[in-house]
Amino acid sequence: MSENSLNSVGIVAPQTAHFSEPLTLKNGEVLPQFDLVYETYGTLNASKSNAVLICHALSGNHHAAGKYAETDKNAGWWDNLIGPNKALDTNKFFVIGLNNLAGCHGSSGPSSINPESKKPYGASFPIVTVEDWVNSQARLLDYLGIKTLAAVIGGSLGGMQALQWTIAYPDRVKHALVIASAPNLTAQNMAFNEVARQAIITDPEFYEGDYYAHSAVPRRGLRIARMLGHITYLSDDAMGEKFGRKVKDKIKYSFDVEFEMESYLRYQGDKFAGEFDANTYLRMTRALDYYDPALEFGGDLTAALSKVKAQFLVVSFTSDWRFSPDRSREIVKALLDNELTVSYAEVTALHGHDAFLMPDAHYHTILRSYLQKIEIQ
Amino acid sequence: MKNNVYITNSTTYRQDFAIIAGWVGFGSKVLDLGCGDGELLTYLRTSLEIKGYGVEKDDTNWLACLQNGTNVIQMDLEDGLSGFENQSFDTVVLSQTLQAMHNTEEIVKEMLRVGREVIVTFPNFGYWRNRVQIASGGHMPVSKDLPYQWYDTPNVHLCTINDFDKFCNNYKISVIERKVITDGIEVSFMPNLLGNLAMYRLKAS
């Protein structure tokens, strides 16, 4: 038995919170009502001061740790981090994972049923932003009776939410752990998102986003989008180490799978296309593109963070070129300019952007050490 | 480069700390470059309630800082201090690290940009024991303060007090105060010969 399964949160079950108060979104639209599906691990203490919110990245969801049944092949997506005596210790913290709005795992989103029309929202589901997510997450905390988060933690797009929490709700979050993230996307980073979206939108099965009504799935587009994503999440060195130029069988001079790398990308693409919703993918990438808290401060991130009170741990990975260390340093500089409490680690790692999900010993020791020092009243 | 907290192995560090504490204002904002395990910042935080930040490259030292509650930014000083705003610190400290820097001029310039005052300490290569080792044995000095052989030393820019005075003069850097100590005792007579640790309090002029 591995150490991980010994320290597992065990069998978990998702819950759904329904919100009947309308939520006004950044684009001006109003969601009259919505559902958020979430999971919790550990126990909320009497003073409700030990809550940690996990914000998921592009393709994540509420199922961050544990299994739904012993027979599940895989545990939650951040199970290597979350559990009793793990770096994010559920003996100490009450950990909340949720599926963001526009998701496809139970929270209100394009593929869920619009209670008014009794049909899937489809293309009519609004384009949501990181700011909207954080506002909806605050509603979830209200629902759970939690005033203040001991910490908010997220990697990549999740790190943007963690940062946004400290901007939008400075009095509701004590610590923010912002991992492999950025204060906005570069043109190159947005360009990858655009290619991914074009793959989906130009798929003949897309039907302008209302493919549910046509019993169609834009599988090809989603598959290509995911293949592209996977290339950018890995470093050249990591792909070199993992696949190199290894040939699958023997060279056939064809367009079938010739190299191991192709086999991996096709497998990942097919798997994803079979379980994820294309409309959700479009919206998640857009949320990434739009996030730019400095924009309304004339590009001045220091000014954007002037109301922030939280203490920060910022972590980047040396081989991450999609959310490079330089981008994390921009966040750190803005925090330093505001004389906030911050530590910054640049973890030497081979795995590119994916490193934030890997159980690297030094990386996890950093998170463990930081989380251990958080005092719970 | 070795991962030692201090690139020299001085037993006088407490004295060193006490003098630095005398040059740092109560409750001020201090940046310690090459902060090791955060010992100096912890000392200043405890004694003077400073708001301190450390810069450290080494993983083990960085982690030690995090664990003892020192704010610590992981980066290589050789890359400069572009992550820090002009005049954003009361004091910037470079304790016994100057001699291991490749780009000495640049780091001093950067410190003066970021800090209103700068504290630099370094082992004085003009110390008589170093001179004796070269003069009598014809070898590069190896001592408890400079524990490396010439071929494995991180100390690429050793200098004497006279050299550093000249450096400050050339670059129009004001020396607010200078102290020289040997085994924890202040040396005022022939410091370039009798002192083994030089401590400078500087500002841009």
Side-chain angles (χ1 to χ4, degrees):
Chain A
M1 206 177 212
S2 73
E3 193 199 347
N4 266 1
S5 55
L6 278 174
N7 296 340
S8 172
V9 296
I11 302 298
V12 297
Q15 293 170 271
T16 301
H18 180 72
F19 300 89
S20 47
E21 286 280 302
L23 181 70
T24 303
L25 304 171
K26 198 179 178 189
N27 71 356
E29 287 184 59
V30 176
L31 260 186
Q33 54 178 312
F34 60 96
D35 288 341
L36 291 177
V37 63
Y38 66 98
E39 282 175 20
T40 68
Y41 322 108
T43 310
L44 187 61
N45 64 10
S47 58
K48 300 188 174 182
S49 60
N50 66 335
V52 173
L53 180 70
I54 308 288
C55 299
H56 70 73
L58 194 64
S59 60
N61 55 43
H62 52 282
H63 187 37
K67 292 182 172 183
Y68 294 141
E70 287 294 352
T71 50
D72 283 3
K73 204 169 129 227
N74 296 314
W77 60 270
W78 222 352
D79 193 75
N80 61 33
L81 188 80
I82 305 162
N85 303 315
K86 287 189 189 172
L88 179 44
D89 188 352
T90 50
N91 292 324
K92 175 178 178 180
F93 294 111
F94 176 67
V95 179
I96 307 160
L98 87 158
N99 185 210
N100 278 325
L101 278 177
C104 54
H105 294 93
S107 291
S108 296
S111 57
S112 64
I113 301 296
N114 181 343
E116 285 164 22
S117 68
K118 314 283 186 231
K119 286 183 188 153
Y121 283 96
S124 74
F125 197 86
I127 308 260
V128 293
T129 63
V130 168
E131 290 87 339
D132 299 330
W133 283 337
V134 167
N135 291 337
S136 68
Q137 290 161 4
R139 293 274 192 94
L140 179 63
L141 291 200
D142 296 341
Y143 171 88
L144 296 170
I146 297 162
K147 277 205 181 73
T148 307
L149 288 168
V152 58
I153 172 168
S156 189
L157 178 55
M160 289 175 164
Q161 293 159 61
L163 179 62
Q164 180 58 26
W165 256 100
T166 69
I167 297 170
Y169 300 97
D171 293 314
R172 294 191 74 172
V173 53
K174 300 258 193 227
H175 294 267
L177 291 82
V178 176
I179 304 165
S181 196
N184 62 19
L185 293 195
T186 60
Q188 186 198 46
N189 204 334
M190 289 194 288
F192 288 118
N193 288 341
E194 174 59 4
V195 175
R197 281 191 300 270
Q198 283 299 311
I200 293 168
I201 289 167
T202 59
D203 186 320
E205 305 287 297
F206 183 63
Y207 293 101
E208 311 278 305
D210 287 319
Y211 43 88
Y212 318 101
H214 294 80
S215 302
V217 179
R219 200 180 291 268
R220 268 175 291 179
L222 191 52
R223 176 173 178 267
I224 293 166
R226 187 59 171 176
M227 287 167 84
L228 174 68
H230 269 286
I231 299 167
T232 69
Y233 305 149
L234 287 171
S235 67
D236 194 11
D237 286 345
M239 280 187 106
E241 183 172 274
K242 201 166 175 172
F243 312 109
R245 293 185 51 83
K246 267 183 285 195
V247 173
K248 183 77 180 163
D249 184 18
K250 67 182 202 348
I251 292 287
K252 299 186 290 281
Y253 297 95
S254 76
F255 297 118
D256 293 339
V257 168
E258 295 274 40
F259 297 98
E260 291 273 4
M261 167 274 299
E262 294 165 4
S263 170
Y264 168 81
L265 287 181
R266 290 188 190 196
Y267 170 77
Q268 292 294 342
D270 287 334
K271 183 163 155 268
F272 192 71
E275 63 193 23
F276 206 80
D277 180 62
N279 276 322
T280 292
Y281 202 82
L282 294 178
R283 281 161 180 75
M284 296 284 166
T285 58
R286 264 306 188 215
L288 271 167
D289 294 351
Y290 289 136
Y291 190 59
D292 188 6
L295 187 64
E296 60 185 285
F297 295 88
D300 184 349
L301 188 63
T302 299
L305 301 188
S306 64
K307 302 230 163 60
V308 170
K309 294 179 181 169
Q311 302 185 23
F312 276 74
L313 175 68
V314 179
V315 180
S316 72
F317 299 92
T318 51
S319 57
D320 184 350
W321 56 278
R322 196 148 180 201
F323 290 80
S324 73
D326 282 348
R327 306 310 317 279
S328 285
R329 280 192 223 113
E330 288 177 37
I331 298 173
V332 171
K333 176 165 189 304
L335 295 169
L336 286 169
D337 289 346
N338 283 295
E339 303 194 0
L340 290 160
T341 297
V342 53
S343 284
Y344 168 62
E346 204 164 293
V347 177
T348 304
L350 174 71
H351 289 98
H353 189 51
D354 270 353
F356 91 86
L357 294 167
M358 305 277 178
D360 174 77
H362 178 60
Y363 165 47
H364 272 204
T365 305
I366 290 168
L367 297 186
R368 179 188 292 276
S369 301
Y370 188 87
L371 291 162
Q372 271 175 348
K373 287 197 78 75
I374 294 179
E375 287 173 23
I376 303 295
Q377 285 86 27
Chain B
M1 187 181 280
K2 297 279 166 72
N3 293 334
N4 295 23
V5 176
Y6 295 102
I7 291 165
T8 59
N9 188 22
S10 176
T11 53
T12 61
Y13 72 98
R14 279 292 162 200
Q15 220 54 37
D16 170 349
F17 283 14
I19 290 169
I20 291 171
W23 290 346
V24 166
F26 186 88
S28 64
K29 197 177 162 196
V30 179
L31 179 64
D32 185 8
L33 303 177
C35 66
D37 62 4
E39 200 178 1
L40 173 63
L41 285 171
T42 304
Y43 174 78
L44 295 175
R45 207 165 55 234
T46 316
S47 53
L48 294 168
E49 296 180 23
I50 59 142
K51 175 95 186 170
Y53 296 87
V55 168
E56 179 57 43
K57 182 174 69 169
D58 175 65
D59 283 348
T60 309
N61 282 333
W62 185 95
L63 199 57
C65 286
L66 187 77
Q67 288 169 344
N68 68 34
T70 301
N71 300 324
V72 57
I73 309 299
Q74 190 164 29
M75 55 175 253
D76 188 345
L77 291 178
E78 300 286 0
D79 297 336
L81 300 177
S82 59
F84 300 93
E85 203 46 70
N86 297 346
Q87 301 293 294
S88 57
F89 283 83
D90 296 308
T91 305
V92 179
V93 183
L94 186 68
S95 174
Q96 304 196 38
T97 305
L98 183 76
Q99 75 283 358
M101 296 292 301
H102 286 259
N103 204 344
T104 314
E105 294 152 278
E106 184 59 26
I107 192 66
V108 174
K109 212 193 291 176
E110 279 285 86
M111 289 172 77
L112 290 163
R113 176 183 66 78
V114 170
R116 287 178 274 275
E117 284 190 16
V118 161
I119 295 171
V120 171
T121 79
F122 59 86
N124 173 31
F125 202 67
Y127 183 47
W128 70 272
R129 286 182 187 275
N130 296 333
R131 300 189 194 201
V132 165
Q133 283 199 44
I134 294 178
S136 66
H139 293 290
M140 283 297 284
V142 177
S143 64
K144 69 181 195 317
D145 293 310
L146 295 167
Y148 300 96
Q149 295 291 338
W150 65 272
Y151 49 82
D152 69 356
T153 183
N155 299 326
V156 292
H157 279 145
L158 289 162
C159 69
T160 68
I161 288 169
N162 290 352
D163 291 332
F164 195 75
D165 283 341
K166 198 174 162 199
F167 175 89
C168 291
N169 194 38
N170 286 351
Y171 285 87
K172 310 250 182 301
I173 299 164
S174 303
V175 178
I176 305 167
E177 224 174 324
R178 184 188 78 187
K179 292 202 176 190
V180 180
I181 56 178
T182 300
D183 296 330
I185 295 157
E186 216 174 310
V187 179
S188 47
F189 178 67
M190 297 182 81
N192 194 36
L193 185 65
L194 301 179
N196 76 349
L197 183 71
M199 307 184 67
Y200 283 75
R201 183 181 180 189
L202 310 168
K203 64 173 186 166
S205 53

